[in-house]
Every structure is written in C-alpha cells, then in structure tokens.
C-alpha cells in the first residue's frame, strides 16, 4: 500500500534501508553493483576477461553517491470488496459504485532502484505474461509522476508477483500506487499523499483507494475514498480461491443489468458491518450475476465453497469483477479443492487476514 500510514505504521508493508519510518544513517550497500574484471590464470597464459556491465555499474555507483538513498523494497497489498453495489451508469460510459474496500495480507513485493538512465525505466518480474512496457501500471505511474512533478528520475524495478491477475483483487492498482509513493520518496516527497491520490485516478479507478489507511468506503468510479476505521477485526481469517480462468472486467460490465442489481442502500450495509461484523447478507456484489454469465464455472465454485463451508465461513462472495471467491471466517480451504481434479490449477491462498 502506498500510504505512509500503512508503510510506516505496519512493518509488513515496508522493508528497506529505513528505520522507524526514517532514513538509516548507514549508506546502502553497493554489493549488487560491484562488477569488476576477473582473471583466469594458468601456467601457459594469463587471460583478462572484461565485464561489459562495468561502465553501467560505475554509473549506478555515481547515482548512489548523489542520491539520499537509492533502493526501496515495498510491500504492495491487494484488496477485497466486502460489498460492491453498482448504483448508476454515467454519461461518460463508466458506472458509479459504492463499495467497502479492505486490504488483506496477500501482496506483491516491489524493489525500486534509481537508474543511471535518463530516458527509460526498466521493469522485470518473476512471472510470465505480465507486460513490462508502458502497458504496465507501474510504468504508467512512474510516467505520470514525472509528468506532474518534472522529476528526471528513472528506475530499475523488479516486481515479485504473488497476486494473480484478472482476479478482482486490485493487484495492478496497488502496484501503481506503490510506484507513485516510491517515486515521490526518491524525489524528496515534493508531492503530498493527497496529490498522489488525486493524480492516480487519471490512470486507474481503484488506485486512489491504496492511499487510504487500509479500509475505505469508495464511491464514484472508485476515486472518492472515505477512510473507515476498523470495520473488520484484524484477526479475522479468510481464504481466496481463484480459478485459472480470468474474468474480463469489460465483458462483466457489458452484461450488467442495473434493473437486476440489489436495491439495498450501501450505507445500510456499511452500518451493519460496522455494528455487527461480517455476514453473508451484507456481502452483496452486483457484479456476481454478470461474472457468472461470463464464467459459469465461477458460479459453481461459489456454490461448492458455500456448501462445503457451512458453519466454517461467515460469508462467501466474489471480489471485484472476479474471478476470486473469498471465504471469510476460516483460514482453511474446503477439502474439495484438493481432492477434485477440476480444481487442480486454481490459485489458492489461505490463512490470510485483513490489514
């Protein structure tokens, strides 16, 4: 999460050359940048092998000397939608929503290093299928930050991806918020977090949420964010089950019929959760019916989790536009996901909590 409230107050979100939300007095290690020629020796010959990265790494060392710090490692948590009401279709083609967003303890880890390049960011990742160019929200966020501030910093970024894509968990949006926050740290925090939050809505509707304190009531396209204090206990356990197939958000919204959505006031849902905690009747997601049309097997998965987890889960629901099914109230997945060959390739994450 990008917010310093989370990054500083919860060590889970922050791991770098910082201590107590401040800079460490110890200079960052340059071990990863040290590349020197090495020597192969024998009785008959002496061969000098030149390391072609030497010049680049000398430039990186110069960056280290000039910058107040040169590396950051940040936790980028995903979110669930405890409830998601779609209230209106706007003239601009977007939909108005009202939703309780909450971060959870599943997330990616992103490493940022200042680059000696003055023309291009470089992104790498541990998984295939993730775009590494400006289609990726991390690169979009860094470009946006330079556009807004005039910063000349470019970065080497490594994304250690744990959150599945096409899951309705906001992994890419969280990455973008984290990138904006990181770029601002490298640039002396010239922008306020409120400014970062406002700018972020230009590249994604869910991104502003990740500048919240971790739980928020979001309206509009998602860009209006109202912090909510501890709507769920921090020790409430949950599991995530995502089939191999993803749901296209565009296709889900295309099939949405507003006359078939819930008529429950979202503020009533928020009040019930704040007063009584989570239960099945408050975990309404208006995108479930169209998502189940797009991916019929997802409806069957929810039904099976609900049936298998009677008395085990307080609520079972889909997050966002899918395709993740969330079971809240137990850290243990239902047994059938281990036994049934149909679920051999699902993404499964248990023993999670809200954060």
């Amino acid at each position: 999460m990008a917010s310093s409230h989370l990054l500083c107050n919860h060590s889970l979100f922050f791991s770098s050359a910082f201590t107590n939300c401040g800079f460490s007095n110890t200079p960052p290690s340059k071990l990863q940048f040290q590349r020197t020629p090495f020597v192969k020796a024998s009785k008959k010959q002496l061969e000098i092998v030149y390391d072609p990265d030497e010049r680049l790494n000398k430039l990186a060392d110069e960056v280290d000397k000039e910058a107040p710090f040169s590396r950051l490692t940040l936790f980028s948590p995903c979110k669930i939608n405890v409830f998601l009401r779609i209230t209106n279709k706007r003239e601009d083609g977007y939909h108005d929503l009202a939703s309780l967003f909450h971060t959870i303890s599943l997330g990616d880890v992103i490493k940022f290093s200042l680059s000696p390049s003055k023309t291009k960011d470089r992104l790498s990742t541990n998984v295939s299928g993730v775009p590494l160019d400006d289609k990726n929200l991390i690169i979009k966020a860094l470009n946006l930050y330079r556009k807004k501030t005039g910063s000349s910093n470019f970065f080497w970024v490594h994304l250690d991806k744990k959150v599945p894509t096409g899951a309705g968990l906001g992994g890419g949006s969280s990455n973008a918020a984290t990138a904006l926050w990181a770029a601002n740290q490298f640039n002396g925090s010239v922008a306020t977090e409120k400014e970062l939050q406002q700018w972020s809505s230009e590249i994604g509707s869910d991104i502003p949420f990740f500048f919240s304190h971790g739980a928020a009531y979001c309206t509009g396209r998602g860009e209006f964010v109202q912090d909510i204090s501890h709507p769920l206990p921090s020790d409430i356990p949950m599991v995530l089950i995502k089939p191999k197939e993803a749901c296209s958000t565009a296709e889900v919204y295309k099939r949405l019929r507003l006359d078939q959505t819930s008529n429950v006031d979202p503020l009533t849902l928020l009040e019930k959760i704040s007063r009584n905690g989570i239960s099945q009747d408050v975990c309404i997601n208006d995108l479930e019916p169209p998502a189940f049309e797009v991916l019929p097997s997802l409806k069957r998965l929810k039904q099976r989790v609900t049936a298998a987890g009677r008395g085990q889960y307080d609520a079972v629901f889909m997050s966002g536009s899918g395709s993740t099914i969330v079971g809240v109230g137990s850290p243990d997945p239902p047994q059938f996901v281990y036994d049934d060959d149909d679920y051999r390739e699902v993404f499964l994450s248990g023993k999670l909590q809200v954060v």
Side-chain angles (χ1 to χ4, degrees):
M1 176 162 301
S3 171
S4 62
H5 301 287
L6 286 164
L7 291 170
C8 294
N9 294 335
H10 301 286
S11 60
L12 175 66
F13 297 104
F14 196 58
S15 172
S16 66
F18 288 66
T19 55
N20 298 322
C21 301
F23 301 137
S24 167
N25 291 327
T26 304
S29 169
K30 296 188 179 64
L31 289 177
Q32 69 183 87
F33 292 113
Q34 290 179 352
R35 303 282 193 276
T36 57
F38 60 92
V39 177
K40 292 181 178 179
S42 69
K43 293 181 179 179
K44 295 184 178 180
Q45 64 179 9
L46 181 68
E47 178 185 0
I48 303 296
V49 181
Y50 178 69
D51 184 342
D53 290 336
E54 177 67 12
R55 180 176 177 275
L56 185 61
N57 285 285
K58 284 182 178 178
L59 289 172
D61 285 346
E62 291 303 313
V63 169
D64 278 3
K65 291 176 183 177
E66 295 176 5
F69 60 96
S70 61
R71 286 176 287 279
L72 278 177
T73 298
L74 301 175
F75 182 74
S76 182
C78 65
K79 57 82 180 169
I80 57 171
N81 299 87
V82 181
F83 66 80
L84 175 55
R85 289 290 335 282
I86 306 298
T87 57
N88 182 46
K89 185 170 184 179
R90 299 151 47 125
E91 292 183 358
D92 61 7
Y94 289 98
H95 289 78
D96 284 323
L97 60 83
S99 179
L100 176 59
F101 285 54
H102 210 307
T103 53
I104 63 174
S105 54
L106 173 68
D108 303 327
V109 174
I110 313 179
K111 298 179 180 180
F112 298 87
S113 299
L114 278 174
S115 170
S117 170
K118 294 301 179 183
T119 59
K120 189 177 181 180
D121 299 301
R122 188 171 73 185
L123 175 63
S124 61
T125 185
N126 63 318
V127 297
S128 60
V130 174
L132 303 179
D133 55 12
D134 57 10
K135 295 184 180 69
N136 191 293
L137 280 170
I138 292 175
I139 302 299
K140 286 185 178 181
L142 296 176
N143 286 335
L144 176 67
Y145 185 82
R146 284 187 289 265
K147 174 185 173 183
K148 295 293 187 179
T149 65
S151 170
S152 60
N153 288 337
F154 286 80
F155 299 92
W156 291 334
V157 184
H158 181 74
L159 171 62
D160 186 5
K161 195 73 180 159
K162 305 295 185 185
V163 179
T165 58
L169 299 174
S173 295
S174 177
N175 293 167
T178 304
L180 279 171
W181 193 90
N184 198 44
Q185 293 299 303
F186 281 105
N187 200 36
S189 299
V190 297
T192 65
E193 287 191 14
K194 191 66 177 176
E195 288 174 321
L196 296 177
Q197 185 180 51
Q198 291 171 346
W199 297 344
S200 71
S201 66
E202 296 182 20
I203 57 174
S205 299
D206 288 351
I207 303 174
F209 160 70
F210 289 97
F211 289 94
S212 74
H213 291 187
Y217 180 63
C218 299
T219 54
R221 293 184 292 113
E223 77 273 27
F224 299 117
V225 179
Q226 177 187 345
D227 280 302
I228 301 295
S229 180
H230 307 297
L232 301 177
S234 61
D235 61 350
I236 189 169
M238 67 184 66
V239 298
L240 305 181
I241 307 171
K242 181 200 173 293
K244 183 179 180 181
E245 301 82 7
C247 275
S248 163
T249 300
E251 190 62 30
V252 170
Y253 273 101
K254 182 179 177 180
R255 297 183 184 224
L256 175 69
R257 293 181 288 276
L258 286 173
D259 61 344
Q260 296 183 16
T261 58
S262 171
N263 57 8
V264 178
D265 186 337
L267 289 174
T268 299
L269 298 175
L270 185 61
E271 181 184 352
K272 284 185 176 181
I273 292 171
S274 299
R275 185 175 64 245
N276 303 322
I278 200 165
S279 59
Q280 189 65 56
D281 66 309
V282 297
C283 295
I284 295 171
N285 187 339
D286 286 335
L287 295 181
E288 281 191 8
F292 293 163
E293 287 185 22
V294 173
L295 195 60
S297 61
L298 190 59
K299 180 178 182 179
R300 176 62 177 156
L301 174 60
K302 182 188 175 184
Q303 290 172 335
R304 291 197 64 177
V305 174
T306 302
R310 286 202 177 109
Q312 180 178 0
Y313 302 117
D314 299 322
V316 177
F317 55 90
M318 186 183 80
S319 181
S321 58
S323 58
T324 299
I325 299 298
V326 183
V328 176
S330 172
D332 301 315
Q335 187 61 37
F336 76 85
V337 299
Y338 299 106
D339 298 339
D340 194 324
D341 287 345
D342 290 342
Y343 299 102
R344 183 170 294 175
E345 296 186 11
V346 299
F347 170 86
L348 187 62
S349 186
K351 303 186 185 303
L352 297 171
Q353 295 177 320
V354 296
V355 291

